Amino acid sequence: MSDTVVLFENIHPLADRAFQVAGLDVERHTSALPVDELHDRLAGAKLAGIRSRTKMNAAAFDAAPHLAALGCFCIGTNQVDLETAEARGIPVFNGPFGNTRSVAELTLASVVMLMRGVPMRSAAAKRGEWMKTATNSHEVRAKKLGIVGYGNIGSQLSVLASGLGMHVYYYDVEPKLAHGNARSCASLDELLETCDVVTLHVPSSPQTRNIMSREAIAKMKPGSFLINHARGDLVDIDALADALAEGRLLGAAIDVFPKEPASKDEAFVSPLQRFENVILTPHVGGSTLEAQAAIGEDVSAKLTRYLSQGSTKGAVNVPEIEPGDVKPGRVRLLSFHANAPGFLMRLNEAISATSANVAAQQLETRGQLGYVASDLEGPLPDDFMDRVNALEGSIRARLIYPD
């Protein structure tokens, strides 16, 4: 197997340190590659790292026969065919916390800019107009901020906004502990009808897609603002444009879109471009040097721990285990397998047929997939891995030796 990790889309160079310590050669690409070139570069990769533009579909996994694990150096994993990766025993890791602060800061800045009417006044000043008026210009203190999704970003934004004296409301489908002065809403409708600014911080899923539909936008408080720094398919953009045109909403800040340019050379087109009271940014909510450095360190550490220990802690598509370092005198057998009765028995019978002893064993299952780590003591025959891979239900297996 190749000892190369291939990184696409200009992943932060701090990621290289963990890979180099692990003895991997690092091959870097500054952008997402055309499909044929992507497949060519994946052909010899043991690990691969992508961001949001590289699409890892079934064909891409077909082109990467040696791929042990995939790192998404970003929050989302929508660009990855997770079912294919799971079926092949390929863990997929991401960096769900690295850009939390960056997104929260941009959102809070957008709240202030929108409530002061800065976008429209800035556009007017560039035309030579002097819009020195307090009309529709407000302090954020004592205003009501509604946060849809009270996870890592939403809760941190809650603390920052509370520090400015805002009254924070949130809605989440799961019970969440409130931070600062925040209070939960019993329904999305209650939040929409109550708040002066509504901001979205939920992942894309069948339940959240188009969560801000035409009907939902119509329920927002008249004269309020909408912010989406989460996922592009959460908002009906045409309905938002209509609400802005009619003056029912006074502004918006949108960083993510239903259709985004594939590269900097492709034109960006949106019905929101005609509005001077809208802040449009090119999916940069988490694009700070600090966030990219944090994500680079986080995801590279997860990938190298998987190689050296078999740890799947933080993987989004496979059972999570954290077996720790392999102790001297032992070898670790890692096996992905179909989650069905009898596999562990067959595996242990295959081990018992050798001169090795099971010193420790850890098994976790998730859906249709099982993952077991077995620390073995004693000699193994040359054809041992052939025996393991031939077991009914076996998907992928490998051995790790102590350093």
Coordinates of all heavy atoms in Angstrom, one line a residue, residues 72-111:
C72 N -12.4 15.2 5.9 CA -13.1 16.4 5.4 C -12.6 17.5 6.3 O -13.0 17.6 7.4 CB -14.6 16.2 5.4 SG -15.2 14.9 4.4
F73 N -11.7 18.4 5.7 CA -11.1 19.5 6.5 C -12.1 20.7 6.5 O -11.8 21.7 6.0 CB -9.8 19.8 5.9 CG -8.7 18.8 6.2 CD1 -8.7 17.6 5.6 CD2 -7.8 19.1 7.2 CE1 -7.7 16.6 5.9 CE2 -6.8 18.1 7.5 CZ -6.8 16.9 6.9
C74 N -13.3 20.4 7.0 CA -14.4 21.3 7.1 C -15.4 20.8 8.1 O -15.2 19.7 8.7 CB -15.0 21.6 5.7 SG -15.4 20.0 4.8
I75 N -16.6 21.4 8.2 CA -17.6 20.9 9.1 C -18.4 19.8 8.4 O -18.7 18.7 8.9 CB -18.5 22.0 9.6 CG1 -17.8 22.9 10.6 CG2 -19.8 21.5 10.2 CD1 -18.6 24.0 11.1
G76 N -18.9 20.1 7.2 CA -19.9 19.3 6.5 C -19.3 18.1 5.8 O -18.1 18.1 5.5
T77 N -20.1 17.1 5.5 CA -19.7 15.9 4.8 C -20.6 15.6 3.7 O -20.7 14.5 3.2 CB -19.5 14.7 5.7 OG1 -20.8 14.5 6.4 CG2 -18.5 14.9 6.8
N78 N -21.4 16.6 3.2 CA -22.4 16.4 2.2 C -21.7 16.0 0.9 O -22.4 15.5 0.0 CB -23.3 17.6 2.0 CG -24.2 17.9 3.2 OD1 -24.4 17.0 4.0 ND2 -24.6 19.1 3.3
Q79 N -20.5 16.4 0.7 CA -19.8 16.1 -0.5 C -19.3 14.7 -0.7 O -18.6 14.3 -1.7 CB -18.6 17.1 -0.7 CG -17.4 16.9 0.2 CD -17.6 17.5 1.6 OE1 -18.7 17.5 2.2 NE2 -16.6 18.0 2.2
V80 N -19.5 13.9 0.4 CA -19.0 12.5 0.4 C -20.2 11.5 0.4 O -21.2 11.7 1.1 CB -18.2 12.3 1.7 CG1 -17.7 10.8 1.7 CG2 -17.0 13.3 1.8
D81 N -20.0 10.5 -0.4 CA -21.0 9.4 -0.4 C -20.6 8.5 0.8 O -19.8 7.6 0.7 CB -20.9 8.5 -1.7 CG -21.9 7.4 -1.8 OD1 -22.4 7.0 -0.8 OD2 -22.1 6.9 -2.9
L82 N -21.3 8.8 1.9 CA -21.0 8.1 3.2 C -21.3 6.7 3.2 O -20.7 5.8 3.8 CB -21.6 8.9 4.3 CG -21.2 10.3 4.6 CD1 -22.0 10.9 5.7 CD2 -19.7 10.4 4.9
E83 N -22.4 6.3 2.5 CA -22.8 4.9 2.4 C -21.8 4.1 1.7 O -21.5 3.0 2.2 CB -24.2 4.8 1.7 CG -25.3 5.4 2.6 CD -26.7 5.2 1.9 OE1 -26.7 4.7 0.8 OE2 -27.7 5.7 2.5
T84 N -21.2 4.6 0.6 CA -20.2 3.8 -0.1 C -19.0 3.7 0.8 O -18.4 2.6 0.9 CB -19.8 4.5 -1.4 OG1 -21.0 4.5 -2.3 CG2 -18.6 3.9 -2.1
A85 N -18.6 4.8 1.5 CA -17.4 4.7 2.4 C -17.7 3.7 3.5 O -16.8 2.9 3.8 CB -17.1 6.1 2.9
E86 N -18.8 3.7 4.1 CA -19.2 2.7 5.1 C -19.1 1.3 4.6 O -18.5 0.4 5.3 CB -20.6 3.0 5.7 CG -21.1 2.0 6.7 CD -22.5 2.3 7.0 OE1 -23.0 3.4 6.9 OE2 -23.2 1.3 7.5
A87 N -19.7 1.1 3.4 CA -19.8 -0.3 2.9 C -18.4 -0.8 2.6 O -18.2 -2.1 2.6 CB -20.6 -0.3 1.6
R88 N -17.4 0.0 2.4 CA -16.0 -0.4 2.1 C -15.1 -0.3 3.3 O -13.9 -0.5 3.2 CB -15.5 0.5 1.0 CG -16.3 0.3 -0.3 CD -15.8 1.1 -1.4 NE -16.8 1.1 -2.5 CZ -16.5 1.4 -3.8 NH1 -15.3 1.7 -4.1 NH2 -17.4 1.3 -4.7
G89 N -15.7 0.0 4.5 CA -14.8 0.1 5.7 C -13.9 1.2 5.7 O -12.7 1.1 6.1
I90 N -14.3 2.4 5.1 CA -13.4 3.6 5.1 C -14.0 4.6 6.0 O -15.1 5.2 5.7 CB -13.4 4.1 3.6 CG1 -12.8 3.1 2.7 CG2 -12.5 5.4 3.6 CD1 -12.8 3.5 1.2
P91 N -13.4 4.9 7.1 CA -13.9 5.9 8.0 C -13.8 7.3 7.4 O -12.8 7.6 6.7 CB -13.0 5.8 9.3 CG -12.4 4.5 9.2 CD -12.2 4.2 7.7
V92 N -14.7 8.2 7.6 CA -14.7 9.6 7.2 C -14.7 10.5 8.4 O -15.6 10.4 9.3 CB -15.9 9.9 6.3 CG1 -15.9 11.4 5.9 CG2 -15.9 9.0 5.1
F93 N -13.7 11.3 8.5 CA -13.5 12.2 9.6 C -13.8 13.7 9.2 O -13.4 14.0 8.0 CB -12.1 12.1 10.3 CG -11.8 10.8 10.8 CD1 -11.2 9.8 10.0 CD2 -12.2 10.4 12.1 CE1 -10.8 8.6 10.5 CE2 -11.9 9.1 12.6 CZ -11.2 8.2 11.8
N94 N -14.3 14.5 10.0 CA -14.4 15.9 9.7 C -13.9 16.8 10.9 O -13.5 16.2 11.9 CB -15.9 16.3 9.4 CG -16.8 16.1 10.5 OD1 -16.6 15.4 11.5 ND2 -18.0 16.8 10.5
G95 N -14.0 18.1 10.8 CA -13.6 19.0 11.9 C -14.8 19.9 12.3 O -14.9 21.0 12.0
P96 N -15.7 19.3 13.1 CA -16.9 20.0 13.4 C -16.8 21.2 14.4 O -17.7 22.0 14.5 CB -17.8 18.9 14.1 CG -16.8 17.9 14.7 CD -15.6 17.9 13.7
F97 N -15.7 21.3 15.0 CA -15.5 22.4 16.0 C -14.5 23.5 15.6 O -14.6 24.6 16.2 CB -15.1 21.8 17.4 CG -15.9 20.7 17.8 CD1 -15.4 19.4 18.0 CD2 -17.3 20.8 18.0 CE1 -16.1 18.3 18.4 CE2 -18.1 19.7 18.3 CZ -17.5 18.5 18.6
G98 N -13.7 23.3 14.6 CA -12.6 24.2 14.4 C -13.0 25.6 14.0 O -12.3 26.5 14.3
N99 N -14.1 25.7 13.2 CA -14.5 27.0 12.8 C -15.6 27.6 13.5 O -16.3 28.6 13.1 CB -14.7 27.0 11.3 CG -16.0 26.2 10.9 OD1 -16.7 25.7 11.7 ND2 -16.2 26.1 9.6
T100 N -15.9 27.1 14.7 CA -17.1 27.5 15.5 C -17.0 29.0 15.8 O -18.0 29.8 15.5 CB -17.2 26.7 16.8 OG1 -17.4 25.3 16.5 CG2 -18.3 27.2 17.7
R101 N -15.9 29.4 16.3 CA -15.7 30.8 16.7 C -15.8 31.8 15.4 O -16.4 32.8 15.5 CB -14.4 31.0 17.4 CG -14.1 32.5 17.8 CD -14.9 32.9 18.9 NE -14.7 34.3 19.2 CZ -15.0 34.8 20.4 NH1 -15.5 34.1 21.4 NH2 -14.7 36.1 20.7
S102 N -15.2 31.3 14.3 CA -15.2 32.2 13.1 C -16.6 32.4 12.6 O -17.0 33.5 12.3 CB -14.3 31.5 12.0 OG -13.0 31.4 12.4
V103 N -17.4 31.4 12.6 CA -18.8 31.5 12.1 C -19.6 32.4 13.0 O -20.4 33.3 12.6 CB -19.5 30.2 11.9 CG1 -20.9 30.3 11.4 CG2 -18.7 29.4 10.8
A104 N -19.4 32.1 14.3 CA -20.2 32.9 15.3 C -19.8 34.4 15.3 O -20.7 35.3 15.3 CB -19.9 32.4 16.7
E105 N -18.5 34.7 15.1 CA -18.1 36.1 15.0 C -18.7 36.8 13.7 O -19.2 37.9 13.8 CB -16.6 36.2 14.9 CG -15.9 36.0 16.3 CD -14.4 36.3 16.2 OE1 -13.9 36.7 15.2 OE2 -13.8 36.1 17.3
L106 N -18.6 36.1 12.6 CA -19.2 36.7 11.4 C -20.7 36.9 11.5 O -21.2 37.9 11.1 CB -18.9 35.8 10.2 CG -19.5 36.3 8.8 CD1 -18.8 37.7 8.5 CD2 -19.3 35.3 7.7
T107 N -21.4 36.0 12.1 CA -22.8 36.1 12.4 C -23.1 37.3 13.2 O -24.0 38.1 12.9 CB -23.4 34.8 13.0 OG1 -23.1 33.7 12.1 CG2 -24.9 35.0 13.1
L108 N -22.4 37.5 14.3 CA -22.6 38.6 15.2 C -22.3 39.9 14.5 O -23.1 40.9 14.7 CB -21.8 38.5 16.5 CG -22.1 39.5 17.6 CD1 -23.5 39.4 18.0 CD2 -21.1 39.3 18.7
A109 N -21.3 39.9 13.7 CA -21.0 41.2 12.9 C -22.1 41.5 12.0 O -22.4 42.7 11.8 CB -19.6 41.0 12.2
S110 N -22.6 40.4 11.4 CA -23.8 40.7 10.4 C -25.0 41.2 11.1 O -25.7 42.1 10.6 CB -24.1 39.3 9.7 OG -23.0 38.9 9.0
V111 N -25.2 40.7 12.4 CA -26.4 41.3 13.1 C -26.2 42.8 13.3 O -27.1 43.5 13.1 CB -26.4 40.5 14.5 CG1 -27.5 41.2 15.4 CG2 -26.8 39.1 14.3

